[in-house]
Amino acid sequence: LAQAILAQAAERPQLVLRHLRAAAQNSRRRAMKFAAAGLALVLAVVCASALKQDPCAGCDEGLALAYQGCAREYGNPCAETDEAGLVISGAGTKKDVSCCLKKEKHDRCLTCKSMDCEFKTCNVNKLYYSERETVMVDKTKTKEAYSEHDAAAMKAAGWSF
């Protein structure tokens, strides 16, 4: 069999060269298809990881103010109402859908605020819905706030002049 193939190759060298070129082209095509498939897979993984949403994103003072406005206007905006506008326990229409979404986001942010992110595994605003409270607490720890207590303590200890 090998001698027959060699004999054919000696008689028709152009035919052998044509077969070798075709085999080389098929090999290049397979390599290009494999590279394109690999690139598509890498892009799919990158896009999928970029689309992962953070449930604790957007927990800021703007959301808190929007929630308070909705709570002032509607109370519980997610409550179901009937045609007469009365709150019912069954299925109906929500008082206000956009405010209901703000309320749900606010509740999620309060949950996020209490999460333990000891090793920075999540992105959480620990001051959500308490920014002003921390300012008032910090004002009690200034030099002016301590001056009256320090003066009384020094006088009691006999340090007054």
Side-chain angles (χ1 to χ4, degrees):
L1 181 66
Q3 288 177 349
I5 294 173
L6 288 174
Q8 265 188 342
E11 291 174 11
R12 298 187 203 167
Q14 288 85 13
L15 182 65
V16 172
L17 286 176
R18 190 179 326 150
H19 284 296
L20 289 175
R21 285 186 197 128
Q25 283 181 345
N26 286 339
S27 174
R28 279 188 235 128
R29 285 184 187 138
R30 280 191 213 117
M32 289 294 286
K33 286 180 183 178
F34 182 74
L39 180 63
L41 179 65
V42 168
L43 287 175
V45 169
V46 168
C47 289
S49 66
L51 293 177
K52 185 178 177 184
Q53 294 183 353
D54 183 10
C56 298
C59 298
D60 56 8
E61 194 169 358
L63 175 66
L65 290 172
Y67 164 72
Q68 288 176 353
C70 289
R72 181 189 66 232
E73 179 109 12
Y74 299 104
N76 180 7
C78 297
E80 303 281 338
T81 59
D82 60 6
E83 293 83 22
L86 300 174
V87 176
I88 57 173
S89 61
T93 58
K94 297 200 183 305
K95 287 183 180 178
D96 189 272
V97 176
S98 65
C99 281
C100 181
L101 292 174
K102 287 180 182 115
K103 179 189 182 306
E104 289 173 355
K105 178 67 177 170
H106 170 74
D107 293 341
R108 194 174 317 115
C109 287
L110 289 177
T111 303
C112 289
K113 177 182 175 179
S114 64
M115 287 173 54
D116 179 25
C117 297
E118 183 176 349
F119 300 106
K120 297 193 179 197
T121 55
C122 54
N123 182 21
V124 175
N125 180 5
K126 291 289 186 183
L127 297 177
Y128 177 72
Y129 215 58
S130 62
E131 287 95 351
R132 303 292 176 245
E133 177 186 352
T134 56
V135 170
M136 296 308 290
V137 169
D138 289 344
K139 282 186 177 181
T140 63
K141 297 178 182 173
T142 61
K143 288 184 180 181
E144 293 81 23
Y146 282 113
S147 65
E148 64 184 61
H149 301 293
D150 289 345
M154 288 178 71
K155 188 173 184 180
W159 287 91
S160 65
F161 295 102

